């Protein structure tokens, strides 16, 4: 610490406050005089600290008013390419699981010191202490917990707390309409099994979350990839066109809010149209909603299920990304398929264990949860902006970048000649893990793209990893 210049120590203090969401965009910084008194530093040190924060894009100087926390800046890169709405191919499904599993296995057998490949945040961003205390309280109150049978569809107070949370996404759900699952992965498995069988076609976004492609392949179902706009999500025109050519679409599986990997949010009018379109054709709509609580600002985007009046929308969600990756808690509101989903869940895995459900219910019911979400959103926004700046300044010319309004991912389109699989392999050799575009589609259209996780706070290690990654991409771009 002593070797760090004084002005950097003062700047670091306020950088951490901004990253933690204690100071947010528009907040006034203490005056230079106040900084001198608070930190026992000279005028020039206090000024230098403010200028450092200003040049890092965290503060802006307003004439005669002082320094204020800036709104995050956008990276000056071209936006992502919009897809052409050409007729989607029924993607060949054989082997996709093997390809994805092969890539995952390659990264698991290498020593990874910087993981930019996951879909969750660094442990420091989650309320681990509060959850541990809640779990200890639950065990004190229920000393026989591990000896007793579990509640069939999930812990009633957790189902109640989730139903109250769902109001933020404009869904009206009774606690009994919610079934607790092992993550969103089990919820998606249940939803697909409830509405389709082997050989059936499921329309998915392109690119889409690779886990969904793995689930479809494991169930013997076929993914029909529908082009997805980086701004507005699945193209409804392309979906309509596809339905004219394929009469065996059994379900549409979408991530309307903060799509993985693009980060787009489908406009409400599209959500309403999609819900209506699916209902009119007797096609189930499976909505995957893991990230919407991380959307920037104070208003959570509405779920497509908010427009569901007939029970045709199956809403699948998770606490994994926003609260506690270690709990593996998810949930499903299956509408008219609920009895079938309950039966399938019982047959597949039986109910979830109780301790993590009790701890999560306790935390969700407390005001601490809203505070946690506000902090998480602010930190993710800052981190995304910082990662975006780093990509914008160090990746080769021709790189394009999404600007998601929430979540923990950046989708990067590299120059067309750069193979994401080569980037993946070379970055792994250097101990860095990123997700290659090739994992997000069967159709090979995203081979030059990368998904980068921004859920880890800025540090010298992350700066070095991004610089190494940029070097790999620069070399491959030639
Ligand atoms: C879009 C999407 N759906 C589902 C999942 C799986 O969720 P869980 O980890 O809760 O099983 C993920 C995880 O990355 C995801 O990104």
């Amino acid at each position: 610490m002593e070797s760090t210049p004084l002005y950097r120590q003062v700047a670091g203090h306020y950088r951490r406050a901004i990253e933690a969401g204690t100071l947010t965009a528009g907040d006034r910084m203490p005056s230079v005089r106040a900084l001198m008194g608070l930190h026992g530093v000279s005028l020039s040190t206090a000024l230098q600290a403010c200028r450092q924060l200003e040049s890092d894009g965290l503060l802006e100087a307003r004439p005669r008013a002082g320094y204020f926390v800036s709104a995050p800046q956008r990276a000056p890169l071209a936006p992502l390419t919009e897809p052409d709405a050409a007729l989607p191919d029924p993607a060949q499904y054989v082997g996709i699981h093997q390809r994805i599993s092969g890539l995952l296995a390659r990264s698991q057998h290498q020593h990874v010191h910087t993981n930019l490949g996951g879909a969750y945040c660094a442990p420091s961003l989650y309320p681990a202490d509060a959850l541990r205390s809640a779990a200890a309280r639950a065990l004190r109150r229920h000393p026989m917990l591990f000896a007793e049978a579990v509640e069939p569809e999930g812990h009633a107070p957790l189902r109640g707390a989730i139903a109250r949370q769902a109001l933020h996404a404009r869904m009206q759900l009774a606690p009994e309409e919610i079934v607790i699952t092992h993550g969103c992965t089990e919820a998606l498995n249940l939803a697909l099994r409830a509405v389709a069988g082997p050989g059936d076609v499921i329309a998915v976004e392109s690119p889409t979350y690779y886990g969904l492609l793995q689930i479809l392949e494991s169930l013997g179902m076929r993914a029909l990839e529908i082009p997805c706009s980086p701004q507005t999500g699945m193209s409804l025109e392309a979906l309509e066109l596809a339905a004219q050519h394929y009469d065996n679409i059994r379900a549409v599986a979408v991530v309307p809010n903060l799509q993985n990997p693009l980060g787009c949010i489908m406009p409400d009018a599209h959500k309403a149209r999609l819900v209506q379109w699916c209902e009119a054709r007797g096609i189930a709509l499976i909505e995957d909603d893991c990230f919407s609580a991380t959307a920037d600002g104070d208003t959570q985007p509405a779920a497509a299920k908010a427009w569901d009046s007939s029970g045709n929308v199956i809403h699948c969600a998770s606490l994994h990304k926003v609260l506690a990756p270690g709990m593996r808690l998810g949930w499903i509101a299956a509408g008219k398929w609920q009895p079938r989903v309950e039966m399938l869940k019982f047959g597949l895995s039986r109910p979830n264990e109780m301790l993590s459900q009790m701890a999560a219910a306790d935390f969700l019911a407390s005001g601490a949860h809203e505070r946690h979400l506000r902090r998480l959103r602010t930190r993710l926004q800052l981190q995304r902006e910082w990662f975006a700046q780093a990509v914008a300044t160090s990746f080769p010319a021709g790189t394009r970048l999404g600007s998601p309004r929430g979540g923990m991912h950046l989708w990067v389109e590299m120059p067309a000649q750069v193979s994401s699989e080569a980037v993946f392999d070379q970055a792994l050799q250097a101990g860095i893990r990123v997700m290659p575009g090739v994992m997000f589609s069967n159709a090979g259209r995203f081979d030059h793209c990368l998904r980068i996780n921004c859920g880890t706070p800025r540090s010298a290690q992350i700066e070095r990893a991004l610089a190494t990654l940029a070097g790999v991409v620069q070399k491959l771009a030639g």
Side-chain angles (χ1 to χ4, degrees):
M1 190 66 179
E2 288 76 41
S3 61
T4 309
L6 254 184
Y7 81 93
R8 280 193 173 273
Q9 292 181 32
V10 175
H13 181 68
Y14 291 96
R15 175 194 306 287
R16 284 188 293 278
I18 293 169
E19 285 175 352
T22 315
L23 292 173
T24 58
D27 282 349
R28 184 195 289 273
M29 269 287 282
S31 68
V32 172
R33 294 234 163 263
L35 288 177
M36 291 165 64
L38 279 168
H39 298 276
V41 295
S42 67
L43 175 69
S44 75
T45 301
L47 260 177
Q48 226 180 336
C50 290
R51 290 200 183 118
Q52 174 70 50
L53 291 165
E54 188 184 11
S55 78
D56 288 347
L58 295 173
L59 292 186
E60 62 191 35
R62 295 188 196 158
R64 288 185 297 282
Y67 282 98
F68 290 78
V69 178
S70 350
Q73 292 161 18
R74 291 264 159 237
L77 279 189
L80 297 172
T81 320
E82 285 287 337
D84 57 30
L87 179 67
D89 303 322
Q92 69 283 26
Y93 67 103
V94 176
I96 180 73
H97 184 265
Q98 227 170 23
R99 182 155 49 118
I100 294 172
S101 302
L103 284 160
L104 288 173
R106 249 139 75 196
S107 70
Q108 268 144 17
H109 295 141
Q110 283 277 348
H111 171 66
V112 172
H113 56 70
T114 308
N115 186 1
L116 304 177
Y120 41 84
C121 303
S124 62
L125 269 65
Y126 295 107
D129 289 344
L131 289 170
R132 196 176 52 244
S133 306
R137 263 195 307 279
L139 277 177
R140 268 198 309 277
R141 282 190 202 132
H142 302 274
M144 296 302 286
L145 188 68
F146 293 143
E148 290 165 354
V150 297
E151 293 173 61
E153 320 306 343
H155 183 42
L158 178 59
R159 297 164 84 193
I162 289 173
R164 282 190 295 281
Q165 288 292 317
L167 291 171
H168 298 309
R170 292 201 249 153
M171 285 181 282
Q172 293 278 350
L173 296 172
E176 303 72 48
E177 290 178 86
I178 290 165
V179 176
I180 304 299
T181 60
H182 296 286
C184 191
T185 303
E186 189 183 41
L188 289 170
N189 259 291
L190 293 170
L192 287 161
R193 282 166 194 253
V195 301
D200 282 338
V201 172
I202 311 295
V204 303
E205 294 143 329
S206 185
T208 191
Y209 163 54
Y210 59 82
L212 176 64
L213 295 175
Q214 283 188 298
I215 296 172
L216 289 175
E217 205 272 342
S218 73
L219 295 175
M221 297 176 191
R222 284 182 293 164
L224 178 67
E225 298 195 20
I226 309 292
C228 190
S229 154
Q231 302 299 328
T232 54
M234 181 182 272
S235 158
L236 303 187
E237 291 69 30
L239 178 63
E240 277 167 19
L241 203 59
Q244 289 166 18
H245 286 78
Y246 305 97
D247 57 7
N248 54 349
I249 301 176
R250 295 303 291 267
V252 178
V254 280
V255 184
N257 295 323
L258 298 172
Q259 199 261 1
N260 179 4
L262 293 173
C264 47
I265 297 182
M266 188 182 263
D268 284 354
H270 289 211
K271 288 174 190 159
R273 202 170 119 201
L274 179 61
V275 170
Q276 208 178 27
W277 185 88
C278 286
E279 194 187 323
R281 277 159 192 76
I283 295 175
L285 179 57
I286 300 175
E287 169 174 47
D288 173 343
D289 189 27
C290 289
F291 299 102
S292 63
T294 66
D296 296 346
D298 290 328
T299 314
Q300 192 172 326
K305 189 153 179 75
W307 283 271
D308 180 24
S309 54
S310 67
N312 192 48
V313 180
I314 306 184
H315 186 90
C316 302
S318 169
L319 302 180
H320 177 184
K321 322 290 179 191
V322 291
L323 182 64
M327 285 184 164
R328 299 291 312 140
L329 282 174
W331 57 278
I332 182 167
K336 64 184 180 195
W337 285 281
Q338 181 165 358
R340 181 155 170 77
V341 160
E342 286 177 3
M343 184 275 287
L344 286 167
K345 161 85 174 147
F346 190 75
L348 197 65
S349 65
R350 301 290 195 270
N352 283 52
E353 63 80 32
M354 295 294 286
L355 181 58
S356 48
Q357 293 190 69
M358 286 179 165
D362 182 327
F363 187 77
L364 288 183
S366 74
H369 182 238
E370 282 311 313
R371 285 197 296 282
H372 156 65
L373 285 181
R374 268 200 303 277
R375 249 195 324 266
L376 181 67
R377 287 194 287 261
T378 310
R379 292 197 69 166
L380 284 178
Q381 189 175 4
L382 278 165
Q383 286 169 205
R384 274 197 325 273
E385 292 299 334
W386 178 74
F387 273 75
Q389 294 289 358
V391 170
T393 50
S394 60
F395 273 47
T399 299
R400 289 166 171 264
L401 193 59
S403 48
R405 287 179 283 138
M408 57 209 67
H409 297 129
L410 276 187
W411 183 246
V412 183
E413 247 181 72
M414 301 175 291
Q417 71 275 22
V418 181
S419 146
S420 64
E421 201 166 341
V423 175
F424 171 79
D425 281 331
Q426 293 186 23
L428 262 187
Q429 299 292 330
I432 301 157
R433 187 167 180 252
V434 285
M435 280 306 170
V438 69
M439 288 183 69
F440 296 84
S441 163
N442 283 338
R445 277 192 288 268
F446 304 99
D447 192 23
H448 62 301
C449 297
L450 281 185
R451 191 191 72 183
I452 299 179
N453 176 292
C454 314
T456 304
R458 180 177 181 174
S459 66
Q461 182 185 342
I462 297 282
E463 284 178 18
R464 277 195 302 274
L466 280 173
T468 305
L469 184 64
V472 166
V473 178
Q474 289 277 6
K475 212 163 75 209
L476 288 165

